[in-house]
Amino acid sequence: MPILRVTPVVAGLAILLLVVVVSAAGIGPYRIAPGDVVAAIAAWIGGGHIDGQIAAVLFQVRLPRIAAAICVGGALSAAGAAYQSLFRNPLVSPDILGVSQGAGFGAVVGILFGLPVAMIQALGFVTGSLTVILVVTLAWSLRQRGDILMLVLSGIVVGALAAAAISLVKIVADPYAQLPMITYWLLGSLASIRPDDIAVVAPTVAIGMIPLFLLRWRISVLSCGDDDARALGVDVRRTRQIVIVAATLITASVVAISGIIGWVGLMVPHLARLLVGPRFDRLLPVSILIGAAFMVVVDTIARTAATIEIPIGVLTALVGGGLFVWLMTRRGSRSIWRRE
């Protein structure tokens, strides 16, 4: 597939996201026509009259959940793109490096002790950060076999340890009150999202996004190799530290409200790379838009495809696994990563 110009791609994806949002807002047990969705949102912005039932369904149930899906999908995709560019490895993602499992462990502990959402989020960020530090330290201590390979293997090992710790928490949790909540949360869900949750998470995601956008050119240079980046005046160590902290903040923040949702951070950057190539300054906005639209679609399927809600993590694994196999079978996928 030829590399496309980034501006038309971003504009097209923004329109696609808007269409997906309007469609998703109208789908459910109480169906609302797309025209009524647009009219209600316009009336809400302009202070006009809105039908009471439509207002309750849209602004108290569906739109907060759609906003959370946009936040989670965009955040995980941005973090995945940042990790893949930073470590020059298309197999790296928040899942592979153990960030999700580490943040999930902190969040599960927060649920075990009945902490409020803000404390669960903070605990998830701390444990996610400690996980990354442990993974990088372990990889650097074994770098005689190759930094990238050791980094991925270290992430798998530390992620497995975090998963084991989560299992231990599940054993000691109350089987009637806490265990069902923890189990369902670990499968990923936006069913319990409230507007207050978004108000807490969105600012931290925005704070994590700012360094990625400001450093997008340096990250693009860094993806060419440390020696080339230093030759062009990039402070490799500081840039890498800032990007890891920002991506970890983003991942831990959304994991705290959505649970562990796999494959998004791995798969979406690959789809974006097929459209605009591997340069991070192009990859970042395209990944965010694709990830946001993908998560809105998946969440809509999760809440409407069956009489009971399907965990989002199950759907992303089914879709993501199939798409990733398709990407691996494509000719020239490796050359696309190396282009430019």
Side-chain angles (χ1 to χ4, degrees), residues 218 221-222 226-236 239:
R218 295 185 184 184
V221 174
L222 200 58
D226 290 359
D227 293 337
D228 292 340
R230 290 192 185 95
L232 292 172
V234 175
D235 188 333
V236 173
T239 302

Side-chain angles (χ1 to χ4, degrees), residues 124-165:
F125 172 66
V126 170
T127 53
S129 301
L130 291 176
T131 302
V132 171
I133 293 173
L134 182 59
V135 168
V136 173
T137 302
L138 183 60
W140 284 350
S141 66
L142 301 171
R143 58 185 175 183
Q144 67 273 14
R145 294 188 179 182
D147 291 348
I148 300 301
L149 177 60
M150 284 298 106
L151 185 71
V152 173
L153 293 178
S154 300
I156 293 173
V157 171
V158 175
L161 292 176

Side-chain angles (χ1 to χ4, degrees), residues 286-333:
V286 174
S287 295
I288 291 173
L289 290 170
I290 293 178
F294 173 74
M295 189 57 68
V296 173
V297 172
V298 169
D299 181 58
T300 303
I301 295 173
R303 63 179 172 82
T304 59
T307 54
I308 61 172
E309 180 154 332
I310 304 172
I312 294 177
V314 175
L315 292 176
T316 57
L318 291 173
V319 177
L323 279 175
F324 202 74
V325 170
W326 173 73
L327 287 171
M328 287 192 299
T329 58
R330 282 180 55 85
R331 285 186 175 182
S333 58

Side-chain angles (χ1 to χ4, degrees), residues 84 89-93 96 152 266 270 324 328:
Q84 291 178 11
N89 190 324
L91 294 179
V92 173
S93 73
I96 296 295
V152 173
L266 176 64
H270 282 276
F324 202 74
M328 287 192 299

Side-chain angles (χ1 to χ4, degrees), residues 172-183:
V172 301
D174 185 336
Y176 299 104
Q178 295 170 328
L179 184 57
M181 186 185 305
I182 290 174
T183 302

